[in-house]
Amino acid sequence: MFIPTPASRAHTSALVLFSGGQDSTTCLAHALSRYERVETIAFDYGQRHKVELDARLQVLHELKKRFPQWAGKLGENHLLDLAVLGQVSDCSLTRDVAFKMEASGLPNTFVPGRNLLFLTLAAALAYRRDLQVLVTGVCETDFSGYPDCRDDTMKAMQLALSLGMDKRFLVETPLMWIDKADTWALAHSLGSESGVAQGGEALVELIVEHTHTCYLGDRIHRQAWGYGCGECPACELRARGYERFCQAAA
Ligand code: ZN
């Protein structure tokens, strides 16, 4: 069986859509374990969980400190101002209104087309930085029904971006078919394979302590699975996944 070495892989560089949350941090570890050169991109669109964007810098700092062999691959960290998204959308992520389900069957955290916009801007940046792979933490398994997280949407975007920019992009979605418990397990195995002693535990600990998921931006209440209000849909999902991951590991 032919097992490609990193040097013989067709793809050697990646841009990770990295918000500083659990999912995108796991995607970043995935990219660092596979590619020689990895850059990150985040978007500031006036989201209520702006604290996530600050968590992002802390996660990068900790990753470099605890995983020295990944530090050398980590390149620039880009932050794009997307205040315009707040002008076109009117949802509970950008305004101070309660979370609820809309008549459409989608939660009011939905920002129409958000991931389409993110991927388009990421591809434009990847084009300029000569990066081949776009890595994003979208997922169909545990998701809230966001249509721009679907596998088919991602495949369509890969095609549209590659055609529209006349450059072959690969849109990689390591979390597409796994649930939140498996996302914790994936982080553990990526850390274990990193070459750092106790790397699995170290990466899980780093994600618990430094990544941010809570929609309300709560960094006061420390739960077993990290900081958060414990009540919002993002906290509930993270907590349930962590609990199942710990049960499976026990
Ligand atoms: Zn929360």
Side-chain angles (χ1 to χ4, degrees):
M1 190 173 82
F2 173 71
I3 300 171
T5 61
S8 70
R9 278 196 185 131
H11 301 98
T12 57
S13 61
L15 179 63
V16 180
L17 283 83
F18 175 60
S19 66
Q22 176 194 352
D23 292 346
S24 67
T25 299
T26 306
C27 286
L28 179 55
H30 162 91
L32 288 166
S33 73
R34 293 174 75 87
Y35 303 115
E36 298 306 300
R37 185 163 67 93
V38 177
E39 298 190 8
T40 49
I41 183 171
F43 305 94
D44 184 355
Y45 55 98
Q47 58 268 56
R48 294 206 304 186
H49 52 297
K50 193 171 186 305
V51 63
E52 197 179 75
L53 296 175
D54 301 327
R56 181 180 121 261
L57 298 176
Q58 193 60 34
V59 170
L60 289 174
H61 172 76
E62 294 291 328
L63 271 177
K64 285 183 194 165
K65 196 170 82 183
R66 300 200 209 172
F67 296 88
Q69 60 281 70
W70 286 352
K73 300 175 165 192
L74 251 179
E76 262 186 69
N77 170 36
H78 311 268
L79 179 64
L80 264 56
D81 180 2
L82 263 193
V84 66
L85 204 52
Q87 290 171 27
V88 295
S89 78
D90 185 27
C91 84
S92 69
L93 282 187
T94 50
R95 280 182 56 245
D96 193 16
V97 294
F99 296 102
K100 63 177 174 68
M101 294 303 282
E102 301 283 8
S104 62
L106 287 169
N108 66 344
T109 49
F110 178 58
V111 182
R114 181 176 56 171
N115 281 316
L116 308 184
L117 192 59
F118 285 0
L119 269 178
T120 303
L121 291 166
L125 185 75
Y127 186 98
R128 180 162 67 77
R129 305 286 304 162
D130 198 24
L131 299 161
Q132 304 155 320
V133 184
L134 304 172
V135 185
T136 170
V138 292
C139 171
E140 266 203 37
T141 313
D142 249 353
F143 77 153
S144 315
Y146 294 174
D148 58 345
C149 292
R150 284 181 191 143
D151 189 49
D152 285 350
T153 306
M154 292 298 116
K155 289 191 164 83
M157 283 303 286
Q158 174 175 291
L159 186 61
L161 294 169
S162 296
L163 286 172
M165 299 193 194
D166 197 21
K167 179 185 163 80
R168 190 73 173 93
F169 288 111
L170 177 66
V171 175
E172 203 166 58
T173 55
L175 312 184
M176 183 59 79
W177 304 114
I178 65 177
D179 64 18
K180 284 279 178 195
D182 291 336
T183 302
W184 286 106
L186 175 61
H188 188 275
S189 76
L190 289 167
S192 302
E193 292 158 15
S194 70
V196 167
Q198 305 289 305
E201 289 74 17
L203 188 56
V204 169
E205 261 170 46
L206 187 160
I207 290 173
V208 166
E209 193 62 32
H210 299 289
T211 67
H212 187 83
T213 302
C214 175
Y215 281 149
L216 302 181
D218 185 329
R219 294 295 294 174
I220 297 163
H221 299 98
R222 175 62 157 85
Q223 327 273 358
W225 41 265
Y227 291 92
C229 71
E231 317 248 302
C232 76
C235 280
E236 275 181 19
L237 210 54
R238 176 162 163 151
R240 231 183 310 135
Y242 187 75
E243 199 180 310
R244 291 210 332 273
F245 163 67
C246 291
Q247 281 166 0

